[in-house]
Amino acid sequence: MYVIGIVGPFGSGCSYIANLIKEQHNYEYISLSTILRNMFEQEKSRAPVLRNELQDYGDEIRKTKGKDFLARQAYEIIQKNSEKNYIVDSIRNPSEVIFFRGSFPKFFLFGIFAEQEVRWSRVSDKYSDDHGKFILDDVRDSGESDDFGQQVTDTFRSSDIIILNNTQVYENNDDYKTLCLEVKKYVDIIEQKIAFKPSVYETCMAMAYAVSMRSSCLKRHVGAVIVDSEGNIFSSGYNEVPYTQRPCISAYGICYRDKLKKEFKQQLAVDIAEKSDQDKAYKSFKKSFKILDYCKSLHAEENAILNVARIGASSALKFATLYTSTYPCNLCANKIAQVGIKEVVYFEPYPMPEAKKILTAQKVIQTPFKGVTYNGYFRLMEVVT
């Protein structure tokens, strides 16, 4: 039995592609969102009016019943007819992926990507053309700080395969046919009907991920590689403190930023008597200052660029392509633009808008990754025809 999970930002076409797999490859369809909506309607005796109302309800369900509760509900449905293959739509929390991977040896997660402006054009009518509300929902969907919330960004990074869905698809137009062929290829690969032969893009992104594992960062491991026009890697980097410094875990036992936040909260408790006032002051601090600015690490993209410069060959950066296992921040975007890198290939469902502006102004091509990710690279390499 094969089980395919679907994750992606709303408006990216997750349900559309899930239904393509259902209809064209004879998979049974299950939607975690539908399970959640049915629970809401049964409990409240009405349908949710706004998207954030269902988001709030989902957060509460994960908090009270477990972060993988919706996945467990889907599992019970699957177990009733385990001779079928299943497509599970609307996966939005990493714990759901962990549950499915532990329950089904042949579980594969498909990440669906579409640019934000494309997604907005598809859902604007549902927001009565209120772009501000769409952005608020999108930000919340991408990754709530609450562990029990929706965390599409982290879930998307667990994908085995990424499918791009930026085009306007109409039944039987060329874009539709292309999308169907692409979906068929990936379904055939996981079902072991054809062999997985990695592209340059897939190999380079797998290398970026491999490099990221050298990072000692307690928050996130990010890797980057820089390649020439032939796809040859000539530099790599990962997020790490400079050589002369000790990693946070070694120096402080915790992330340096967490250390600063802890000390700030302790000082607030000394200076302000009321707990509610302490919380207000801390929220105000978070809005005004980015604690990320105090991070001691060089970013993966920075290190990859600096490693070229260290050996005196910075001219090689001109017209090169950089692969990164996330999306560059504003500071890294400035450096990428400055040294003349021509293209950035990224693995991130929510690119930073300000960084995109910097790279676009310098005419740096920004290519969202598609294909077999580093999660599925060696796993699918073992498929034989």
Side-chain angles (χ1 to χ4, degrees), residues 120-271:
W120 165 241
S121 70
R122 292 171 178 168
V123 302
S124 59
D125 57 325
K126 296 180 180 179
Y127 285 87
S128 302
D129 290 323
D130 189 334
H131 191 257
K133 287 184 179 178
F134 164 75
I135 293 298
L136 287 175
D137 282 352
D138 203 33
V139 169
R140 178 174 180 179
D141 211 40
S142 68
E144 296 178 293
S145 56
D146 185 350
D147 285 343
F148 301 100
Q150 297 176 113
Q151 299 176 339
V152 172
T153 297
D154 288 342
T155 310
F156 187 90
R157 291 197 181 106
S158 299
S159 299
D160 297 293
I161 290 167
I162 301 297
I163 295 174
L164 297 189
N165 189 29
N166 272 324
T167 57
Q168 187 61 54
V169 173
Y170 299 101
E171 190 169 358
N172 292 324
N173 75 348
D174 288 346
D175 292 326
Y176 172 82
K177 293 174 183 176
T178 299
L179 179 62
C180 288
L181 287 173
E182 187 172 5
V183 170
K184 182 181 186 305
K185 179 182 75 172
Y186 295 130
V187 173
D188 285 348
I189 286 175
I190 69 168
E191 290 184 355
Q192 304 184 15
K193 293 178 180 177
I194 61 174
F196 166 51
K197 298 178 181 179
S199 66
V200 171
Y201 271 33
E202 290 166 329
T203 299
C204 289
M205 190 60 80
M207 291 297 295
Y209 174 75
V211 170
S212 77
M213 298 310 291
R214 296 184 63 191
S215 172
S216 68
C217 181
L218 297 168
K219 296 294 187 183
R220 180 187 296 179
H221 295 173
V222 180
V225 297
I226 304 178
V227 307
D228 62 21
S229 59
E230 302 299 320
N232 300 307
I233 297 172
F234 63 85
S235 186
S236 64
Y238 53 94
N239 56 319
E240 190 57 88
V241 297
Y243 293 127
T244 56
Q245 297 183 24
R246 295 162 62 194
C248 293
I249 186 64
S250 175
Y252 312 106
I254 60 172
C255 170
Y256 180 66
R257 287 182 285 148
D258 286 344
K259 174 179 177 292
L260 292 180
K261 287 190 287 187
K262 181 179 179 181
E263 291 173 349
F264 183 74
K265 286 182 177 180
Q266 288 173 340
Q267 189 59 47
L268 284 177
V270 173
D271 297 339

Side-chain angles (χ1 to χ4, degrees), residues 216-366:
S216 68
C217 181
L218 297 168
K219 296 294 187 183
R220 180 187 296 179
H221 295 173
V222 180
V225 297
I226 304 178
V227 307
D228 62 21
S229 59
E230 302 299 320
N232 300 307
I233 297 172
F234 63 85
S235 186
S236 64
Y238 53 94
N239 56 319
E240 190 57 88
V241 297
Y243 293 127
T244 56
Q245 297 183 24
R246 295 162 62 194
C248 293
I249 186 64
S250 175
Y252 312 106
I254 60 172
C255 170
Y256 180 66
R257 287 182 285 148
D258 286 344
K259 174 179 177 292
L260 292 180
K261 287 190 287 187
K262 181 179 179 181
E263 291 173 349
F264 183 74
K265 286 182 177 180
Q266 288 173 340
Q267 189 59 47
L268 284 177
V270 173
D271 297 339
I272 303 174
E274 293 293 331
K275 181 66 168 61
S276 59
D277 292 337
Q278 294 172 22
D279 293 340
K280 289 179 182 177
Y282 185 68
K283 285 182 181 179
S284 179
F285 167 77
K286 286 178 67 177
K287 286 182 180 178
S288 301
F289 299 95
K290 291 184 178 180
I291 197 69
L292 181 61
D293 293 341
Y294 291 89
C295 179
K296 288 181 172 291
S297 289
L298 290 163
H299 291 187
E301 300 91 337
E302 286 181 300
N303 265 326
I305 292 170
L306 290 171
N307 285 338
V308 177
R310 274 194 312 118
I311 60 174
S314 58
S315 60
L317 291 167
K318 204 78 171 175
F319 309 121
T321 298
L322 182 145
Y323 290 78
T324 174
S325 60
T326 179
Y327 187 88
C329 68
N330 294 358
L331 294 176
C332 288
N334 281 326
K335 295 177 178 67
I336 289 166
Q338 181 69 12
V339 299
I341 288 173
K342 71 168 183 177
E343 182 179 7
V344 172
V345 180
Y346 61 91
F347 182 18
E348 168 65 53
Y350 297 92
M352 293 182 66
E354 292 304 317
K356 281 181 69 71
K357 289 179 183 177
I358 293 168
L359 295 176
T360 301
Q362 198 62 24
K363 298 182 179 179
V364 178
I365 300 168
Q366 300 148 69

